[in-house]
Amino acid sequence: MSNVTASTTGMRTAPIRSGFWLVVLGAALWGVDPLFRIILLKSLTSSQIVLLEHVVLFLAAAPVLWRHRAELKKIRLRQAGALMVVSWGGSAVATILFTKALSSGDLNAVLLLQKLQPIFAIGLAAMILKERLPRNFGPLIVLALAGTYLLTFGWTVPFGHVNSFISVGSLMAMGAAALWGGSTVMGRYLLGSMSYETVTSLRFILALPLLFTITSLEGAPWQVNGGWGTTSAIAINLLLQALLPGLLSMLLYYKGLNTTKASFATLAELSFPMTGILINWIVYHQLVTLPQLVGFALIWTALFFISNQQSKQAQAVLK
């Protein structure tokens, strides 16, 4: 290969590699969510917080969607179905299922089953998007999942008996994992015919009717105690939560997903629990344990090799 050809190939594969790391960065921003949510939960329910967050996001996304309104004319039945999976399934229903699972099942078993999300995403990507995995992808999946396990549970076994997995809570956790995995795959599908700005905007806007319904059925009162100081703190935290782990993270995520396979992206999302551990260490002064350090190393090793795998695949296609 000549120097000119090699340079051109490198330029073409650079966006693919950077896209993967944009997914990593976007998912990592999800980990800062608790910084803002803790104050909000003192005055509002989870569904109220999510609804208000989506109202803020609607105000930010509506002008963007208006600029890209020509793309709406191209939406067909398949795209509409994919949008419902992304907005209703990934944003609303999955979160509700996971929250209910935490309250009705064994906590550790629920957390462990939620880690199956990459398996669902990779399987759906193979069936729906016809993605083919590289030869050495299997060991990298195992490496990444092992690192996530250590981040969450350390050296311990997270369940006492097999019955922990045979419960309504466990089924809800698996349903949430499947919906989140499906949301990744459907997002990648939509980016084949839409811009990442349009997909991000529709994700937030289409979820609003469902969130209004859920909040209304919940029937919780809307009240904030503590005067203007508390109200201002809630408003600032709500705004920051909506714009940082909400809007900015999803813009980065979908921009990166535009050039990243869904099967690769779902493993890139494992940067999310790593951020959570760092937040606990820096803000809440919780010590990072040896198993968590090993988990960090395993996940970053897997992410590095997965990024290289995707670049090699792109180079093979361009040759």
Side-chain angles (χ1 to χ4, degrees):
M1 184 184 292
S2 67
N3 291 337
V4 174
T5 305
S7 176
T8 303
T9 302
M11 290 173 63
R12 290 177 179 177
T13 56
I16 295 173
R17 176 172 292 193
S18 63
F20 176 85
W21 291 108
L22 281 176
V23 174
V24 171
L25 180 58
L29 282 174
W30 300 340
V32 305
D33 181 87
L35 290 177
F36 311 110
R37 191 174 296 272
I38 288 176
I39 292 179
L40 298 176
L41 284 171
K42 294 178 181 179
S43 303
L44 302 168
T45 66
S46 294
S47 59
Q48 288 173 337
I49 292 171
V50 176
L51 173 60
L52 290 175
E53 177 187 9
H54 276 71
V55 170
V56 175
L57 291 168
F58 168 79
L59 296 176
V64 177
L65 187 61
W66 177 256
R67 287 198 298 270
H68 294 264
R69 63 188 181 277
E71 295 185 33
L72 301 180
K73 300 177 182 178
K74 303 175 183 178
I75 295 177
R76 299 294 181 263
L77 186 60
R78 287 186 178 182
Q79 283 87 355
L83 283 168
M84 298 311 290
V85 172
V86 169
S87 61
W88 285 30
S91 287
V93 177
T95 304
I96 294 170
L97 285 175
F98 187 67
T99 302
K100 288 184 177 293
L102 290 175
S103 62
S104 63
D106 180 85
L107 175 61
N108 286 333
V110 168
L111 290 174
L112 180 59
L113 289 168
Q114 189 270 329
K115 307 304 179 189
L116 296 176
Q117 177 186 338
I119 306 300
F120 286 111
I122 291 168
L124 289 171
M127 289 189 295
I128 297 174
L129 303 178
K130 309 301 180 185
E131 290 187 1
R132 299 180 64 181
L133 301 177
R135 183 177 302 174
N136 298 321
F137 195 72
L140 293 175
I141 296 173
V142 174
L143 192 67
L145 292 179
T148 308
Y149 180 96
L150 291 175
L151 278 181
T152 309
F153 305 111
W155 307 126
T156 62
V157 177
F159 57 93
H161 46 78
V162 177
N163 289 337
S164 297
F165 290 95
I166 309 174
S167 66
V168 175
S170 298
L171 293 176
M172 288 181 177
M174 291 185 68
L179 284 171
W180 279 324
S183 180
T184 297
V185 174
M186 290 298 100
R188 184 66 184 86
Y189 169 75
L190 288 168
L191 289 169
S193 57
M194 299 181 190
S195 65
Y196 73 91
E197 296 96 337
T198 301
V199 174
T200 304
S201 300
L202 288 173
R203 176 189 176 101
F204 297 135
I205 291 172
L206 292 178
L208 268 176
L210 180 61
L211 291 170
F212 270 117
T213 302
I214 292 172
T215 306
S216 298
L217 293 175
E218 184 183 55
W222 292 83
Q223 57 182 11
V224 177
N225 300 319
W228 283 106
T230 302
T231 303
S232 300
I234 289 175
I236 292 171
N237 276 272
L238 182 65
L239 183 64
L240 290 175
Q241 178 181 312
L243 297 181
L244 292 178
L247 181 60
L248 178 60
S249 67
M250 294 312 301
L251 284 172
L252 292 171
Y253 178 84
Y254 281 121
K255 182 175 177 59
L257 190 60
N258 195 41
T259 56
T260 305
K261 285 187 173 184
S263 50
F264 288 81
T266 191
L267 294 182
E269 293 172 26
L270 295 179
S271 60
F272 166 46
M274 291 194 294
T275 307
I277 296 296
L278 288 175
I279 292 295
N280 286 338
W281 173 48
I282 296 171
V283 178
Y284 302 112
H285 308 294
Q286 294 184 9
L287 293 178
V288 178
T289 65
L290 177 60
Q292 289 174 333
L293 290 175
V294 175
F296 268 102
L298 292 179
I299 292 176
W300 279 112
T301 300
L303 292 179
F304 175 78
F305 281 106
I306 290 168
S307 175
N308 285 342
Q309 289 274 16
Q310 187 169 17
S311 297
K312 289 178 181 178
Q313 279 195 341
Q315 289 174 359
V317 171
L318 292 173
K319 285 180 181 179

